[in-house]
Amino acid sequence: MQFNAAVEDAIAQAAWRYGADIDALRAAIVAESAQELAEVLRIDRDAAESRLAPIRRALAVRDDLGAGCRLSTDEVQRELLDAIARL
């Protein structure tokens, strides 16, 4: 999965805030893995699951190409950026 520059910047900022490895954080997001996210951010798994939920939703909507199901690209992008910022 490739992210645009804005999402990459958001991931970099989140990694910086936590003193986390940016590649490991990106991998946890791409894998949509609460366990990996918990390990990377050094938070408990329940907190990671809660923080990952809106990211999963944004990624699922972004990848949904069904007619009438796709939200505006800008709206989904904003949701994804907001979810990453709230990590």
Side-chain angles (χ1 to χ4, degrees):
M1 175 180 304
Q2 291 202 321
F3 294 122
N4 65 28
V7 174
E8 288 291 343
D9 287 345
I11 293 170
Q13 289 173 17
W16 178 81
R17 280 194 317 274
Y18 282 91
D21 180 82
I22 188 171
D23 294 324
L25 180 55
R26 183 185 309 102
I29 291 170
V30 168
E32 299 180 32
S33 170
Q35 184 61 43
E36 288 180 38
L37 187 64
E39 292 170 7
V40 170
L41 299 183
R42 294 178 297 281
I43 59 176
D44 69 73
R45 192 174 190 295
D46 289 339
E49 186 67 48
S50 175
R51 294 175 191 190
L52 190 58
I55 293 172
R56 283 183 181 138
R57 180 193 177 285
L59 292 176
V61 170
R62 187 182 85 163
D63 293 339
D64 183 2
L65 300 176
C69 295
R70 189 173 182 137
L71 297 175
S72 120
T73 302
D74 291 341
E75 183 179 339
V76 173
Q77 173 81 1
R78 182 81 257 147
E79 285 182 27
L80 182 57
L81 290 172
D82 289 347
I84 293 170
R86 287 189 305 270
L87 284 176

